[in-house]
Each structure stands twice: as structure tokens, then as C-alpha cells.
């Protein structure tokens, strides 16, 4: 029997529907999305890391009955039926009811790492920096083949074509992505050729974005000396890199918009500054013009200026003469009085000094040794001129000199006799 494609697909679908009309499957949510119609699409995979993957669809009616918001990484139990999506011939699980069964392995790992790094203060708002308002050059860390790079560059070209962009290429998915992201951030930090860094990637499942939850990437963001703006995934995606970055944007395009103010904003600011400068210049010109007008009025009649200055000089001369007329007689009288006082003081001092001099002269005369010699005494000295005051200094036959009131006598000692004191 030869089957047509549609017939074979339809037969397989019927067989699956009959064999797996209703079953329950436990797995970890991956790639969850909600369409505008209200239908939800996701994949389920084993939490223990097995390679199995089951695509699932949950239509609007079943989705409206959920009592929680599904998210990537959650461990759920889904009840439904297996079917084949015939337009593509793909196996899918149509979910009719779903409930949480606990956190999935990745999600649980995410929560534990988040709590630990948050305890270290890596997500504190106090350490985060503001983005430069008007950057001249922006660095972008992402994959060269990523759609996010195209979106970011398009946004920059539209909003701020004057801003230069430097791309630091890196893997954004896979086991080697964390190391590549760290190296790209360190390269940008080392070169210091940009004003800020935009770290971005498009949307994906929790495992697709896992590189941005790596602890090495988080620490590299915190250690970076440049402000880091992170725009990873869709608006509902939150990674540890978002929490560590200085500013988080919901999407790569939003990150580009936050990083680059529009050219119109810059021109408007320059226009406002120009208006302020123009107003200030006009104020200075007006002030100086008024000063010039006043100076012109003064110079228009120079004779009046000279007359006023002459009057002022004459007034000052009169004041000086009047002051001198009062001051000179006073000074003359003061000088005369000082002269009289000085003469009187000099006379008194001279008489006192003369009296003291006479007293000293009398005392000096009384103490003159010649007055003693005149009363019959003599002053004896040896040949060396030393005074002889005791008979112990004399011996018979020694020559001495006797100083009398009117001359000297040289004499020889005949004998020496000591006076006996009773």
C-alpha cells in the first residue's frame, strides 16, 4: 500500500490519539510564549538533563484556567493528549490543564545563585553608576551574527548617527559563551575607548540565555570600570547580568534607545544653551552701552568737568589753609612749652650731677694713699715692686724701697724683729 503524505500523517495522528488520548507528563518549561490570540506555546524537557524535548500547545480556553504565570525553568505537570500538527508533520502535546510541580533544575540553580550573589552586594543599587548623558562612542558586546546587533545598530543610526559604535564580538550562547563574554568585557574595559558598554542578546529560553546567568559574567560586569547597560532577551526575561548591570533595558533595542539620546534632543539642548548665551551677551552689551552713554554725556561738556574739578581743588585748598592756620600756632605754643620744660629739666639735672660729683671727689680725696703718707707713713716694696706687709717678708741685708709723701728711699734692712702680741 502506498500512502499519500497527508494520509500517512492523518493515520499517525489517529493512532496517537487512540493510544495517548489522555496522559500527564512532568517536565521543565522552556521557550514559553503567549500569542496575541491567547494561545500559549512552549516546550517541555526533562529536569534531569536528558535530551528529550516535547513541543506543546495550550489553547486560549485552557490557558485562561491557569492559576499561575508559566515561565522558563519551572517544573510543571501537564495533562493533555498527543497529536500531530499536520501542516508540518510535527509531534506536539496539546495541553488541557497544567499545574506547577516545583522549580526546574535550571530555575532552581538560578534562584540559588541569585540569592548568593545578592548577599554579596553585587546587585545593590548603591554601587550602580549613571549612564553618560551624551556619549561620543558606545561599545556593544554581542554576537556578530545576532539579530540583536542589527537592531541595535539600526537604532543608533536612526537616533544618533553622530555616535561612534565599537563592537566587541562574543559568543552569546553555549558552554563557551561565558568565557567569551568575560573576555569581551575585559577588552572593552582595558582599551577604554568607549563611554559605556551595551551588553545585548535577543530572546530565547532559559537555557538559551544561561550564559548571562553565569557567575563569571556577573562578576566581570561588576568589576568593569565602564558603565554597563544590559539588554538581554524579551521584556519578561530577567538574567543575573541584568541585575548586576548599572542599567537594565527590557530588550536590545530599548538598550540602544537608553544609551543614545536622539539627535533632536542634543540639538534642542544646544539651542537652549545658545539662547541662554545670547541673552547673557545681550545683557552685557546693554550694560556696557549704558556705561558708554554716561561717559559720552560727561565728555560732551569738558569745560563743566574742568570747572567742577577746579571748584573741588579750591575747596580742598581752603580746608588745608584753615587747618594749617589753626594747627601751626598750636604747634608753636607746644614747642615753646616743651623748650621751657627741657631747659628747666636740664638745669636741675646739671646741679644734681655737680653735687654728686663733688661728693665723689671728696670721698676719693679721703681715700687717696698720699694723704696717709703725708701723715708720716711709708709704703714698702721689694725689688720687684711687691708690697711688704709683714716682717716675714724681710731679712737682714735685703734692700727695700720706701714710698714717702714727697719721694722714694732705697734702704737696707739691718735687722728684723717681730712684735710680740700679748
Amino acid at each position: 500500500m502506498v500512502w499519500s503524505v497527508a494520509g500517512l500523517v492523518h493515520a499517525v495522528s489517529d493512532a496517537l490519539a487512540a493510544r495517548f488520548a489522555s496522559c500527564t507528563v512532568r517536565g521543565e518549561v522552556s521557550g514559553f510564549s503567549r500569542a496575541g490570540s491567547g494561545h500559549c506555546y512552549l516546550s517541555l524537557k526533562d529536569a534531569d538533563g536528558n535530551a528529550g524535548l516535547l513541543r506543546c500547545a495550550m489553547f486560549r480556553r485552557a490557558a485562561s484556567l491557569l492559576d499561575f504565570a508559566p515561565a522558563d525553568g519551572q517544573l510543571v505537570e501537564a495533562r493533555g493528549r498527543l497529536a500531530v500538527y499536520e501542516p508540518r508533520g510535527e509531534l506536539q502535546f496539546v495541553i488541557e490543564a497544567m499545574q506547577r510541580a516545583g522549580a526546574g533544575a535550571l530555575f532552581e540553580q538560578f534562584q540559588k545563585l541569585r540569592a548568593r550573589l545578592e548577599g554579596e552586594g553585587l546587585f545593590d543599587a548603591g554601587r550602580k553608576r549613571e549612564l553618560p548623558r551624551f556619549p561620543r562612542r558606545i561599545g556593544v558586546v554581542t554576537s556578530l551574527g545576532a539579530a540583536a546587533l542589527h537592531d541595535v545598530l539600526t537604532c543608533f543610526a536612526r537616533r544618533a548617527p553622530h555616535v561612534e559604535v565599537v563592537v566587541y564580538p562574543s559568543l552569546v550562547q553555549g558552554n563557551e559563551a561565558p568565557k567569551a563574554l568575560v573576555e569581551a568585557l575585559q577588552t572593552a574595559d582595558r582599551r577604554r575607548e568607549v563611554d559605556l558598554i551595551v551588553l545585548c542578546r535577543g530572546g530565547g529560553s532559559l537555557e538559551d540565555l544561561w550564559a548571562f546567568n553565569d557567575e563569571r559574567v556577573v562578576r566581570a560586569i561588576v568589576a568593569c570600570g565602564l558603565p554597563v547597560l544590559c539588554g538581554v532577551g524579551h521584556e519578561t526575561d530577567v538574567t543575573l547580568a541584568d541585575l548586576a548591570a548599572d542599567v537594565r533595558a527590557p530588550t536590545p533595542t530599548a538598550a540602544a534607545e537608553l544609551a543614545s539620546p536622539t539627535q533632536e534632543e542634543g540639538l534642542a539642548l544646544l539651542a537652549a544653551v545658545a539662547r541662554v548665551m545670547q541673552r547673557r551677551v545681550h545683557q552685557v552689551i546693554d550694560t556696557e552701552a549704558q556705561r558708554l552713554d554716561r561717559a559720552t554725556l560727561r565728555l560732551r561738556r569738558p569745560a563743566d568737568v574742568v570747572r567742577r574739578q577746579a571748584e573741588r581743588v579750591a575747596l580742598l585748598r581752603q580746608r588745608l589753609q584753615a587747618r594749617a592756620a589753626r594747627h601751626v600756632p598750636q604747634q608753636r605754643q607746644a614747642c615753646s612749652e616743651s623748650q621751657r620744660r627741657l631747659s628747666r629739666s636740664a638745669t636741675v639735672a646739671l646741679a644734681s650731677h655737680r653735687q654728686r660729683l663733688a661728693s665723689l671727689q671728696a670721698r676719693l680725696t679721703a681715700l687717696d694713699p698720699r694723704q696717709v703718707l703725708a701723715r708720716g707713713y711709708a709704703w714698702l716694696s721689694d725689688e720687684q715692686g711687691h708690697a711688704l706687709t709683714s716682717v716675714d717678708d724681710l731679712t737682714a741685708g735685703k734692700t727695700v724701697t720706701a714710698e714717702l709723701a714727697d719721694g722714694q728711699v732705697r734702704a737696707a734692712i739691718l735687722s728684723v724683729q717681730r712684735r710680740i702680741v700679748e
Side-chain angles (χ1 to χ4, degrees):
M1 180 180 180
V2 178
W3 294 85
S4 66
V5 174
L8 180 59
V9 171
H10 186 69
V12 172
S13 179
D14 289 342
L16 288 175
R19 174 68 177 82
F20 300 99
S22 179
C23 58
T24 301
V25 62
R26 176 194 293 262
E28 190 175 282
V29 176
S30 176
F32 179 84
S33 64
R34 187 186 296 270
S37 61
H39 304 328
C40 298
Y41 301 95
L42 64 147
S43 296
L44 291 178
K45 63 178 185 176
D46 288 331
D48 57 7
N50 290 333
L53 186 71
L54 180 62
R55 294 186 180 275
C56 305
M58 183 167 51
F59 299 118
R60 181 174 57 186
R61 182 188 62 80
S64 65
L65 299 176
L66 291 175
D67 60 354
F68 70 101
D72 289 359
Q74 289 180 340
L75 187 64
V76 300
E77 290 182 357
R79 181 174 55 81
R81 56 186 173 82
L82 276 178
V84 175
Y85 181 57
E86 296 184 3
R88 293 184 181 177
E90 295 179 349
L91 178 68
Q92 69 175 3
F93 186 69
V94 180
I95 299 175
E96 297 175 352
M98 186 169 65
Q99 64 182 8
R100 285 176 291 189
L106 278 180
F107 188 71
E108 183 177 359
Q109 184 179 349
F110 172 85
Q111 294 290 12
K112 289 181 179 179
L113 182 58
R114 175 176 179 173
R116 181 165 62 84
L117 297 181
E118 189 171 12
E120 295 182 21
L122 300 187
F123 305 148
D124 290 348
R127 53 152 292 274
K128 297 188 178 183
R129 298 156 292 191
E130 294 184 358
L131 300 180
R133 187 176 180 186
F134 293 101
R136 294 176 296 178
R137 184 178 293 174
I138 298 175
V140 179
V141 176
T142 191
S143 172
L144 293 178
L149 178 60
H150 177 267
D151 296 340
V152 168
L153 294 179
T154 301
C155 182
F156 284 153
R158 172 175 52 82
R159 290 173 57 86
H162 58 284
V163 176
E164 298 181 21
V165 179
V166 179
V167 179
Y168 301 95
S170 171
L171 297 174
V172 293
Q173 184 174 342
N175 295 332
E176 299 298 324
K179 179 181 178 182
L181 289 170
V182 170
E183 291 178 352
L185 289 170
Q186 291 175 346
T187 299
D189 190 20
R190 183 176 64 256
R191 292 181 182 176
R192 292 299 176 96
E193 57 191 353
V194 296
D195 299 318
L196 75 150
I197 299 173
V198 175
L199 178 64
C200 61
R201 184 203 188 281
S205 63
L206 181 62
E207 56 272 352
D208 292 338
L209 303 179
W210 192 251
F212 296 88
N213 292 321
D214 191 280
E215 182 176 354
R216 292 169 293 176
V217 176
V218 173
R219 295 191 181 278
I221 292 174
V222 174
C224 185
L226 298 170
V228 178
L229 171 59
C230 189
V232 175
H234 300 301
E235 187 170 355
T236 57
D237 295 324
V238 178
T239 66
L240 297 182
D242 291 317
L243 302 178
D246 297 293
V247 177
R248 178 200 175 242
T251 63
T253 301
E257 292 176 352
L258 288 174
S260 59
T262 62
Q263 191 175 36
E264 290 74 12
E265 292 178 6
L267 293 176
L269 179 61
L270 289 176
V273 173
R275 288 194 296 271
V276 172
M277 293 178 62
Q278 188 176 22
R279 185 166 61 252
R280 297 286 176 83
V281 170
H282 287 166
Q283 290 175 352
V284 173
I285 292 176
D286 293 341
T287 301
E288 296 302 321
Q290 292 178 7
R291 291 181 57 191
L292 181 61
D293 291 341
R294 288 194 293 269
T296 302
L297 291 175
R298 289 196 297 268
L299 292 176
R300 188 174 297 172
R301 297 177 181 145
D304 293 342
V305 177
V306 173
R307 178 178 54 78
R308 286 196 297 271
Q309 294 297 329
E311 292 175 354
R312 187 166 182 270
V313 170
L315 179 60
L316 293 175
R317 182 184 298 111
Q318 291 176 0
R319 291 178 179 177
L320 181 61
Q321 291 174 351
R323 187 176 181 84
R326 293 191 304 271
H327 187 69
V328 170
Q330 294 175 355
Q331 294 298 319
R332 286 177 178 174
Q333 184 178 357
C335 287
S336 299
E337 183 65 22
S338 298
Q339 185 176 4
R340 286 193 297 273
R341 291 178 180 175
L342 180 61
S343 178
R344 186 166 57 253
S345 298
T347 301
V348 173
L350 182 60
S352 175
H353 288 315
R354 285 176 177 174
Q355 183 179 359
R356 186 168 181 272
L357 182 60
S359 176
L360 293 175
Q361 182 66 33
R363 291 174 62 186
L364 181 62
T365 301
L367 296 175
D368 189 355
R370 289 190 295 269
Q371 298 295 328
V372 178
L373 297 179
R375 294 198 296 271
Y377 294 95
W379 181 71
L380 299 181
S381 61
D382 57 14
E383 294 179 353
Q384 287 75 30
H386 298 152
L388 299 174
T389 60
S390 174
V391 295
D392 295 337
D393 299 331
L394 300 174
T395 57
K398 186 175 181 178
T399 302
V400 298
T401 300
E403 182 76 26
L404 301 176
D406 55 354
Q408 292 181 345
V409 175
R410 292 183 62 80
I413 302 300
L414 298 178
S415 64
V416 177
Q417 184 176 0
R418 175 179 293 277
R419 180 186 297 120
I420 300 175
V421 180
E422 294 182 356

